[in-house]
């Protein structure tokens, strides 16, 4: 247990390049790897670092995120003291307007003032990684830093460590300084703080576009990447769902793919990630695809390099192949793709 460090997850960001996948959910709740959500990686890293107080600050479309996190029990954060705290945005008139996280944080400033931890990790919610923040804290204290920024190859990872009292000061003076987030502080060459960088040399990918989401997802099929992320000593936790095992039909073929529980697979699946309760009918070929929960794909279809969101229905005989290389097709949540639409 780390009594000197608390966690803050900034879930206020809206990436326009991910619009087709986050119109009905916050980016923190974007499904990943068949059974996870993006927030699971930063939240698990905090819990594995001994952090017992985590505040999540979403801005829009956060119903699915609330459902996923629940009481925090799956991350051992349903506690009498500290635990998981959920702080919705105070304004709903312009959900996609980017005004900076400080405005959101300051609305809930009493959370920071009442907390007992001396230091705070402020992290984005859309990165795939698995790390121990105690190493960052040790370096921060050793070098007598005011703010430590995590970097990779010199580029910001939008993860910061600073004293809780300094964060409160930044929130209370934001109207004077003009700072809207910690990135603004980093970009101000005239800031009065001792800024340090912590170069992180392990696996870390920021999901900020459909292309990065697609390619990072399929990287999980590589055993080297899988072992980097999913470690026995630092597990990635997620919401647990009890579902029956996947049923494989007599003619089913599955190669180099991840198949979640509760599916019915009767076709050919290759180099793909299939989420819970997906149905793939006979004669259908799925290659290099990401298929989200409860999607149904009819008979004799051919899909290559396609992302199907939740509850999509693909009718019989549909072919979906992107026109451009490395530019996957995205079918939005709940869409019915039929022969007429395909034409």
């Amino acid at each position: 247990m780390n009594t000197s460090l608390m966690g803050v997850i900034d879930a206020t960001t809206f990436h326009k390049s991910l619009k087709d996948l986050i119109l009905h959910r916050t980016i923190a709740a974007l499904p990943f790897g068949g059974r996870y959500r993006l927030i699971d990686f930063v939240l698990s890293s905090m819990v594995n670092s001994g952090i017992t107080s985590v505040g999540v600050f979403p801005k829009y479309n956060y119903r699915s995120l609330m459902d996923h996190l629940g009481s925090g029990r799956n991350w051992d954060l349903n506690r009498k003291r500290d635990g998981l705290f959920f702080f919705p945005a105070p304004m709903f008139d312009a959900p996609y307007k980017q005004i900076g996280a400080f405005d959101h944080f300051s609305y809930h400033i009493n959370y920071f003032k009442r907390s007992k931890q001396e230091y705070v990790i402020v992290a984005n919610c859309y990165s795939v990684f698995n790390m121990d923040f105690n190493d960052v804290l040790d370096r921060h204290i050793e070098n007598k830093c005011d703010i430590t920024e995590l970097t990779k190859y010199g580029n910001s990872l939008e993860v910061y460590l600073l004293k809780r009292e300094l964060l409160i000061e930044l929130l209370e003076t934001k109207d004077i300084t003009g700072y809207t987030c910690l990135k603004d502080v980093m970009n101000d060459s005239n800031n009065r703080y001792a800024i340090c960088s912590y170069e992180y040399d392990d696996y870390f990918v920021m999901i900020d576009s459909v292309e990065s989401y697609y390619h990072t997802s399929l990287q999980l099929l590589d055993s080297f990447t899988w072992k980097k992320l999913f470690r026995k000593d630092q597990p990635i936790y997620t919401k647990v769902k009890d579902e029956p095992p996947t049923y494989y039909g007599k003619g089913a073929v599955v190669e180099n793919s991840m198949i979640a529980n509760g599916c019915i697979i009767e076709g050919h699946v290759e180099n793909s990630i299939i989420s819970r309760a997906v149905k793939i009918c006979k004669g259908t070929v799925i290659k290099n695809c990401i298929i989200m929960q409860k999607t149904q794909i009819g008979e004799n279809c051919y899909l290559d390099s396609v992302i199907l969101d939740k509850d999509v229905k693909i009718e019989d005989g549909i072919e979906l192949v992107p026109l451009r290389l490395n530019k996957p097709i995205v079918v939005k949540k709940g869409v019915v793709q039929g022969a007429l639409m395909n034409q």
Side-chain angles (χ1 to χ4, degrees):
M1 183 182 298
N2 193 328
T3 58
S4 64
L5 191 59
M6 63 184 292
V8 169
I9 300 177
D10 177 7
T12 64
T13 303
F14 180 84
H15 287 303
K16 290 184 179 179
S17 53
L18 274 167
K19 183 176 64 174
D20 288 343
L21 293 173
I22 59 175
L23 280 175
H24 303 287
R25 60 170 72 93
T26 175
I27 190 172
L30 183 60
F32 185 83
R35 64 187 298 260
Y36 301 93
R37 304 290 181 119
L38 286 183
I39 197 172
D40 290 339
F41 294 90
V42 62
L43 185 56
S44 297
S45 291
M46 289 178 174
V47 169
N48 289 330
S49 301
I51 296 174
T52 58
S53 178
V54 179
V56 181
F57 292 80
K59 186 176 181 182
Y60 67 97
N61 292 344
Y62 45 76
R63 184 196 61 79
S64 61
L65 180 61
M66 291 180 67
D67 177 69
H68 179 70
L69 295 177
S71 66
R73 179 176 60 86
N74 291 294
W75 296 266
D76 193 28
L77 289 174
N78 55 333
R79 298 167 173 265
K80 292 182 178 180
R81 293 185 179 180
D82 294 329
L84 182 69
F85 300 89
F86 200 88
F87 298 105
M91 298 175 61
F92 302 94
D93 55 337
Y96 306 139
K97 183 180 179 182
Q98 297 296 304
I99 58 175
F102 280 2
D103 193 64
H104 192 166
F105 292 173
S106 62
Y107 187 82
H108 301 285
I109 197 168
N110 283 338
Y111 166 66
F112 299 101
K113 290 184 175 181
R114 292 173 181 172
S115 298
K116 303 299 182 182
Q117 291 81 4
E118 185 176 1
Y119 297 93
V120 54
I121 281 278
V122 180
N124 72 74
C125 65
Y126 49 86
S127 293
V128 179
F129 68 105
N130 187 352
M131 73 173 297
D132 186 345
F133 290 118
N134 287 295
D135 296 336
V136 186
L137 179 60
D138 292 342
R139 182 85 62 82
H140 180 87
I141 296 172
E142 179 183 349
N143 293 336
K144 299 180 180 179
C145 308
D146 289 326
I147 305 174
T148 294
E149 178 182 42
L150 269 68
T151 60
K152 189 174 180 67
Y153 307 127
N155 299 315
S156 174
L157 299 180
E158 298 180 16
V159 179
Y160 310 92
L161 190 148
L162 66 163
K163 280 193 173 182
R164 179 176 56 86
E165 292 297 332
L166 176 54
L167 179 59
I168 293 172
E169 176 188 316
L170 289 169
L171 298 180
E172 292 180 332
T173 61
K174 65 182 178 62
D175 293 334
I176 299 173
T177 62
Y179 297 146
T180 66
C181 58
L182 282 166
K183 185 185 292 186
D184 289 348
V185 182
M186 299 296 105
N187 292 336
D188 181 7
S189 58
N190 296 318
N191 73 67
R192 59 185 179 84
Y193 305 109
I195 305 296
C196 301
S197 64
Y198 180 96
E199 183 69 13
Y200 186 63
D201 58 5
D202 215 329
Y203 189 87
F204 195 111
V205 178
M206 299 172 73
I207 306 298
D208 55 7
S209 66
V210 168
E211 290 76 17
S212 63
Y213 172 77
Y214 175 74
H215 293 296
T216 304
S217 296
L218 293 188
Q219 281 180 2
L220 296 180
L221 301 176
D222 177 73
S223 60
F224 179 79
T225 301
W226 179 267
K227 291 176 182 178
K228 285 280 188 179
L229 279 175
F230 299 97
R231 312 175 196 169
K232 291 183 179 180
D233 60 327
Q234 293 180 205
I236 301 297
Y237 303 100
T238 191
K239 181 179 180 179
V240 176
K241 292 186 178 181
D242 295 325
E243 290 182 300
T246 287
Y247 167 79
Y248 296 93
K250 185 176 181 180
V253 176
V254 176
E255 299 178 358
N256 191 40
S257 297
M258 293 170 54
I259 312 290
N261 289 344
C263 297
I264 298 175
I265 309 295
E266 297 177 316
H268 180 113
V269 180
E270 181 180 335
N271 198 45
S272 296
I273 296 176
I274 312 297
S275 297
R276 299 181 179 100
V278 169
K279 183 177 181 180
I280 300 174
C281 293
K282 296 178 180 178
T284 286
V285 176
I286 306 293
K287 293 185 177 181
N288 311 307
C289 291
I290 300 168
I291 314 297
M292 296 189 194
Q293 190 172 347
K294 296 181 181 179
T295 285
Q296 298 183 40
I297 306 172
E299 296 183 356
N300 302 314
C301 297
Y302 183 86
L303 278 64
D304 190 348
S305 304
V306 177
I307 301 173
L308 301 184
D309 208 329
K310 291 178 60 177
D311 300 311
V312 168
K313 183 177 181 181
I314 305 295
E315 296 184 348
D316 296 346
I318 298 299
E319 180 176 326
L320 292 175
V321 179
L323 297 176
R324 293 170 53 191
L325 189 65
N326 297 322
K327 186 76 173 179
I329 294 173
V330 177
V331 180
K332 297 178 184 178
K333 180 180 177 181
V335 166
V336 177
Q337 186 82 39
L340 182 61
M341 293 181 63
N342 193 41
Q343 293 173 359

